[in-house]
Amino acid sequence: MAPSPSPIATFVPVAPDSHFSIHNLPYGVFSSRSDATPRPGVAIGEQVLDLRAIAAAGLFTGPLLRDSDCFHQTSLNRFMAMGRAAWKETRGTVQKLLSADEPALRDNTDLRKKAFFPLNEVKMELPAVIGDYTDFFSSKHHALNCGKIFRGVDALQDNWLHVPIAYHGRSSSIVTSGHPITRPCGQVAPAAGSSSPAFKPSSLLDFELEMAMFVGPGNELGTQIPVESAYDHIFGLVLMNDWSARDIQRWEAIPLGPFLGKSFATTISPWIVTLEALEPFICNPPAQDPPPLPYLKEPQGKSYDIALEVTIKPDGDPKGSTICRSNFKHLYWTLGQQLAHHTVNGCNLRPGDLLASGTISGPEQGSLGCLLEQSWGGREQVALENGGSRKFLEDGDEVVISGHCKGDGYLVGFGTCSGKLEPPRCSC
Amino acid sequence: MAPSPSPIATFVPVAPDSHFSIHNLPYGVFSSRSDATPRPGVAIGEQVLDLRAIAAAGLFTGPLLRDSDCFHQTSLNRFMAMGRAAWKETRGTVQKLLSADEPALRDNTDLRKKAFFPLNEVKMELPAVIGDYTDFFSSKHHALNCGKIFRGVDALQDNWLHVPIAYHGRSSSIVTSGHPITRPCGQVAPAAGSSSPAFKPSSLLDFELEMAMFVGPGNELGTQIPVESAYDHIFGLVLMNDWSARDIQRWEAIPLGPFLGKSFATTISPWIVTLEALEPFICNPPAQDPPPLPYLKEPQGKSYDIALEVTIKPDGDPKGSTICRSNFKHLYWTLGQQLAHHTVNGCNLRPGDLLASGTISGPEQGSLGCLLEQSWGGREQVALENGGSRKFLEDGDEVVISGHCKGDGYLVGFGTCSGKLEPPRCSC
Ligand SMILES: [Ca+2]
Ligand SMILES: [Ca+2]
Ligand SMILES: [Mg+2]
Ligand SMILES: [Mg+2]
Ligand code: NI
């Protein structure tokens, strides 16, 4: 059980199992029926607090936020760029405004009408303009399983325990939870006996359970962010589904890595949970042996105890089957190491960049973070509760990722990251 | 010799060997000492024509440009999104305004003072906000040489003749010509006899001679751009140097491809030469055998006859040595095939996205587009004219790429794409 932060009562109704307790206060960008302009908000219980409305009412009175127009933007990039001191000031202000014994918002009926929107009535937008998106490969279990499945080798690649391996992903096709996913078409390897590859809808469509960090302040090109200060550059985390077409990926990926097998869609959850909110859930990462090179050596490595689940809901089965229960803490490389590694060559990060973890697989069968692993490369059926089974996803399947941290009587949750698979649109 | 377009005389002085003839009219974004706001311009001879000033003077009178604010932007993205009809209209207007017998600009001293800037006095900015940057691998000579050097195999990978192979690159570290390049530090493979990788400045720093296209109108996520209409989505081309740290690249790239070995910097030339200007230089691409899959099959494949050169200028040797003479037409996969392939899985392109060709190597030693190939993996010295030699780049080396098409009495050129290598800034 995580240590309890000082209890705060809020005047907003929050159910005990709500992901969006007063201890959370995640940031997102939303639009409403009454106003289609995207603007920053904070989720609390079943409500969204409109930060633009709060700023317009002059309630951000702290020295860093007072004169800022960061909440009058259509994305969080400007707020992300302001850094931890501004984030702390904002969190303090919002927590105070929402608290039960603070009248400023509670007793201002007019402002409450303008500043609160029911969560289930708003449209969530991408929280930031994502300049670059990077996907790491930081679960040792996942890396080992991929080696066994693809190469029949029970060993990591030579570099894996030294390098937090990553590749550049496609930022244009990142969408928020709920966006339908079209089954992609593409080239796959020649069938046995044929010399020509086939062009067809992917028949090995998969999810990947991941989480991803949004970058706060960036760094100048040619400079490094040392691992000691890496966390000052991390705004917060979201859930992510790195949809993957295994047949397309396998045929194209040698020698330059994944491309069209990934770039057709990536889904993130719309609410960014800040590192401040996650502090009570810090835990030790796995021991690293061999010890990492000095530039990756952390005074005190830290991970986060975030319970994760993946549920597949076939068409017409709204309950679905939870086929994976994993945890962020299974990751071998930490957030700080990923970020420090990313900049060690002088590569510049920008506010709003997204760095994903890679598939978060744990040690047990039930904690494997993608169907490729769960079906062991398509050799085994994964049973569903409705009597069906899957090796890979079928059209109409909805994949729902959820994640939360359990505090003493409250949750700090991420909501859900979902997407429903639609049939291919191409005519092949 | 390319067919001559109808000759146009301009009142602006243009030397016969100028890259920026009236037949070219490339687009860039510049700022001046008098006005630091970046704005679109066109290069002509030794001058930049300020398109914002021309628009403000009401001289874009065509139906598509008349009411547009595209030249009041700090990037070309909005103009790129408008499509070929708007590009043609603009080109017609600019060509007319610059022609010798058109008084509107020629005789307006006041406007000429506001609208012309000496090329050597302006600061060139990135021409577009580059949402995503992709790097292809489209020279068969380069792919074959990499196979021989890295794997000792005289054969392409199984997929190469079927798939226009590509990987996602880093867009944040794309800079324009002239920006200094810092030698990156990073992990390299363990030395013989050691079990631990080293962390150090790259000692195998290389250039890659490439060209890259800017995307015009994009496509919606989930839809494809057929190869037949691909060229309607291409705005124009620039020169590109994909700086590469071969030792970092080699250690990190398995299994997910290049990452920090590339992401420290990529240089592009600042002037985008449009496909309209390149039309007289269309030529046949290499024959493709086996024939590509139907979605890559072009009614009439086309390449461009663009002569390319790479000159290395060691510190204190301003003349330098031209060590590579290649040509865009050596590329196996065409621009149209690259773009169609990129979207065949439904991946969305956005105006301003950059798609690079990959290293443009020709068949002869002197046309190999990087030092890795020229020195055959560091086994041979590449002679310089100053008596020195190189296997890879040394601190202080400036790498200058230039490219042009030769018309009948005029050039359509790209200017240069240069960068000087500075010592590492890290303390390792
Ligand atoms: Ca992934
Ligand atoms: Ca390249
Ligand atoms: Mg993806
Ligand atoms: Mg590069
Ligand atoms: Ni199809």
Side-chain angles (χ1 to χ4, degrees):
Chain A
M1 188 65 62
S4 198
S6 43
I8 307 165
T10 167
F11 65 85
V12 180
V14 179
D17 64 345
S18 169
H19 278 202
F20 304 135
S21 67
I22 185 82
H23 302 287
N24 191 350
L25 303 179
Y27 294 94
V29 169
F30 74 102
S31 60
S32 57
R33 268 178 288 187
S34 55
D35 185 348
T37 305
R39 55 215 191 257
V42 157
I44 174 82
E46 301 291 317
Q47 305 287 318
V48 179
L49 178 67
D50 183 336
L51 295 179
R52 191 186 64 185
I54 297 298
L59 294 180
F60 287 111
T61 53
L64 299 173
L65 269 290
R66 199 167 43 207
D67 300 317
S68 171
D69 61 356
C70 63
F71 295 134
H72 291 269
Q73 308 300 315
T74 58
S75 74
L76 285 164
N77 295 67
R78 191 162 298 179
F79 182 55
M80 289 167 165
M82 292 171 75
R84 190 154 311 284
W87 307 336
K88 272 189 201 291
E89 182 180 305
T90 303
R91 182 174 171 82
T93 301
V94 171
Q95 224 160 31
K96 178 149 185 269
L97 284 173
L98 293 173
S99 67
D101 50 9
E102 166 62 38
L105 180 58
R106 186 194 63 195
D107 297 348
N108 187 335
T109 319
D110 215 46
L111 180 58
R112 284 179 57 171
K113 217 176 274 175
K114 278 190 278 192
F116 281 108
F117 294 83
L119 245 183
N120 60 10
E121 290 181 15
V122 300
K123 177 166 176 281
M124 296 308 298
E125 314 279 345
L126 279 179
V129 177
I130 300 168
D132 281 289
Y133 148 52
T134 300
D135 196 12
F136 281 85
F137 185 52
S138 292
S139 156
K140 190 171 164 184
H141 308 289
H142 177 63
L144 271 170
N145 290 335
C146 287
K148 287 183 206 166
I149 293 167
F150 284 133
R151 297 175 289 121
V153 172
D154 189 10
L156 296 163
Q157 300 276 6
D158 286 348
N159 53 14
W160 201 91
L161 291 168
H162 303 284
V163 182
I165 296 287
Y167 66 99
H168 303 294
R170 178 83 194 172
S171 63
S172 71
S173 53
I174 299 174
V175 297
T176 50
S177 185
H179 197 288
I181 305 300
T182 304
R183 181 183 294 270
C185 293
Q187 283 197 40
V188 303
S194 167
S195 67
S196 176
F199 179 76
K200 61 187 215 28
S202 169
S203 53
L204 304 180
L205 203 80
D206 204 353
F207 66 84
E208 289 190 334
L209 165 62
E210 305 200 18
M211 295 193 73
M213 58 175 135
F214 273 99
V215 172
N219 61 306
E220 288 296 315
L221 184 61
T223 68
Q224 306 169 330
I225 297 176
V227 72
E228 296 81 16
S229 51
Y231 287 89
D232 291 340
H233 296 264
I234 304 173
F235 179 68
L237 300 182
V238 292
L239 306 170
M240 191 178 109
N241 182 346
D242 177 20
W243 303 93
S244 299
R246 300 301 181 188
D247 39 4
I248 297 172
Q249 182 185 350
R250 194 160 187 186
W251 174 235
E252 73 180 353
I254 291 173
L256 297 180
F259 184 54
L260 299 188
K262 300 280 192 177
S263 63
F264 59 95
T266 305
T267 305
I268 60 172
S269 58
W271 292 106
I272 308 175
V273 177
T274 64
L275 292 199
E276 282 74 26
L278 293 172
E279 249 169 44
F281 311 101
I282 288 174
C283 63
N284 288 325
Q288 296 184 333
D289 179 31
L293 284 166
Y295 82 93
L296 293 172
K297 198 144 204 166
E298 297 183 289
Q300 169 66 58
K302 59 185 179 190
S303 189
Y304 295 90
D305 184 1
I306 306 171
L308 301 166
E309 280 187 3
V310 183
T311 300
I312 295 181
K313 297 182 177 177
D315 215 12
D317 176 9
K319 189 176 156 284
S321 304
T322 298
I323 63 155
C324 169
R325 289 185 175 80
S326 188
N327 195 302
F328 184 82
K329 71 183 178 190
H330 292 315
L331 293 168
Y332 187 85
W333 296 108
T334 69
L335 298 177
Q337 290 174 322
Q338 291 170 348
L339 192 131
H341 180 67
H342 205 313
T343 65
V344 79
N345 68 340
C347 178
N348 55 328
L349 301 179
R350 295 178 291 193
D353 283 350
L354 191 70
L355 278 60
S357 60
T359 306
I360 306 174
S361 292
E364 314 89 12
Q365 167 71 20
S367 65
L368 303 177
C370 60
L371 283 170
L372 176 76
E373 288 172 85
Q374 291 233 348
S375 73
W376 208 250
R379 276 159 236 161
E380 321 272 344
Q381 292 283 355
V382 178
L384 301 184
E385 285 171 34
N386 67 0
S389 65
R390 289 289 180 277
K391 290 178 170 176
F392 291 94
L393 296 171
E394 295 186 3
D395 291 347
D397 285 352
E398 184 182 7
V399 178
V400 183
I401 297 175
S402 72
H404 70 269
C405 305
K406 199 165 163 35
D408 189 0
Y410 68 95
L411 301 182
V412 169
F414 290 79
T416 58
C417 170
S418 73
K420 185 167 179 166
L421 188 60
E422 297 190 341
R425 277 196 256 180
C426 49
S427 50
C428 61
Chain B
M1 188 64 62
S4 199
S6 43
I8 309 165
T10 167
F11 65 85
V12 180
V14 179
D17 64 346
S18 170
H19 278 203
F20 304 134
S21 67
I22 184 82
H23 302 287
N24 191 349
L25 303 179
Y27 294 95
V29 169
F30 75 103
S31 59
S32 58
R33 270 177 289 188
S34 55
D35 184 348
T37 304
R39 53 212 191 259
V42 157
I44 174 81
E46 302 290 318
Q47 305 287 317
V48 179
L49 178 67
D50 183 336
L51 295 180
R52 192 186 61 184
I54 297 297
L59 294 179
F60 285 111
T61 54
L64 298 173
L65 269 291
R66 200 167 41 207
D67 300 318
S68 172
D69 60 355
C70 63
F71 296 134
H72 291 270
Q73 307 300 314
T74 58
S75 75
L76 286 164
N77 295 67
R78 192 164 298 181
F79 182 54
M80 290 168 165
M82 292 170 74
R84 189 154 313 283
W87 307 336
K88 272 189 199 291
E89 182 180 305
T90 303
R91 182 174 171 83
T93 301
V94 171
Q95 224 161 29
K96 178 148 186 265
L97 284 173
L98 292 173
S99 67
D101 50 9
E102 166 63 38
L105 179 58
R106 186 193 66 195
D107 298 348
N108 187 335
T109 320
D110 215 46
L111 181 58
R112 283 178 59 170
K113 216 175 276 172
K114 279 191 278 192
F116 281 108
F117 295 83
L119 246 182
N120 59 11
E121 289 180 15
V122 301
K123 177 164 176 284
M124 297 307 297
E125 315 279 345
L126 278 180
V129 177
I130 300 169
D132 280 288
Y133 148 51
T134 300
D135 197 12
F136 281 84
F137 184 52
S138 292
S139 156
K140 190 171 163 182
H141 308 289
H142 176 64
L144 272 169
N145 290 335
C146 288
K148 288 182 205 164
I149 293 166
F150 284 133
R151 297 175 288 123
V153 172
D154 188 10
L156 296 163
Q157 299 276 5
D158 287 346
N159 53 14
W160 200 92
L161 290 169
H162 303 283
V163 182
I165 297 287
Y167 66 99
H168 303 294
R170 179 83 195 172
S171 62
S172 71
S173 54
I174 299 174
V175 297
T176 50
S177 184
H179 196 289
I181 304 299
T182 304
R183 183 184 293 271
C185 294
Q187 283 196 40
V188 302
S194 168
S195 68
S196 177
F199 180 76
K200 62 187 217 24
S202 169
S203 53
L204 304 179
L205 203 80
D206 203 354
F207 65 84
E208 289 190 334
L209 165 63
E210 305 200 19
M211 296 193 72
M213 58 175 134
F214 273 100
V215 172
N219 60 306
E220 289 296 315
L221 183 61
T223 69
Q224 305 170 331
I225 297 176
V227 72
E228 296 80 17
S229 51
Y231 288 89
D232 291 338
H233 296 266
I234 304 173
F235 179 69
L237 300 182
V238 292
L239 305 170
M240 191 178 109
N241 183 345
D242 178 21
W243 304 93
S244 299
R246 302 299 184 188
D247 39 3
I248 296 172
Q249 182 185 348
R250 193 156 188 190
W251 174 235
E252 73 180 354
I254 292 174
L256 297 181
F259 184 54
L260 300 188
K262 301 279 191 176
S263 64
F264 58 95
T266 305
T267 305
I268 60 171
S269 57
W271 293 106
I272 307 174
V273 178
T274 64
L275 292 199
E276 281 74 29
L278 293 171
E279 250 170 43
F281 311 101
I282 288 173
C283 63
N284 288 326
Q288 296 185 334
D289 179 31
L293 283 168
Y295 82 94
L296 292 173
K297 197 145 205 165
E298 296 183 291
Q300 169 67 59
K302 58 185 179 189
S303 189
Y304 295 91
D305 184 2
I306 306 171
L308 300 166
E309 281 186 3
V310 183
T311 301
I312 295 181
K313 298 182 177 177
D315 215 12
D317 175 9
K319 188 174 157 287
S321 304
T322 298
I323 62 155
C324 169
R325 289 184 175 81
S326 188
N327 195 301
F328 183 82
K329 70 183 177 191
H330 292 314
L331 293 168
Y332 186 85
W333 296 108
T334 69
L335 298 177
Q337 289 175 322
Q338 290 170 351
L339 192 131
H341 180 67
H342 205 314
T343 65
V344 79
N345 68 341
C347 178
N348 55 327
L349 301 178
R350 295 177 291 192
D353 283 351
L354 192 69
L355 277 60
S357 61
T359 306
I360 306 175
S361 293
E364 313 90 12
Q365 168 71 21
S367 65
L368 302 178
C370 60
L371 283 170
L372 176 77
E373 287 172 85
Q374 292 232 346
S375 73
W376 210 249
R379 277 158 235 162
E380 321 272 345
Q381 291 284 355
V382 178
L384 301 183
E385 286 170 32
N386 68 358
S389 65
R390 290 288 180 277
K391 290 179 171 176
F392 290 95
L393 296 171
E394 295 185 3
D395 292 347
D397 285 352
E398 185 183 7
V399 177
V400 183
I401 297 176
S402 72
H404 70 269
C405 306
K406 200 166 163 35
D408 190 359
Y410 69 94
L411 301 181
V412 169
F414 290 79
T416 58
C417 170
S418 74
K420 185 167 179 165
L421 188 60
E422 296 190 340
R425 277 196 255 178
C426 49
S427 49
C428 61

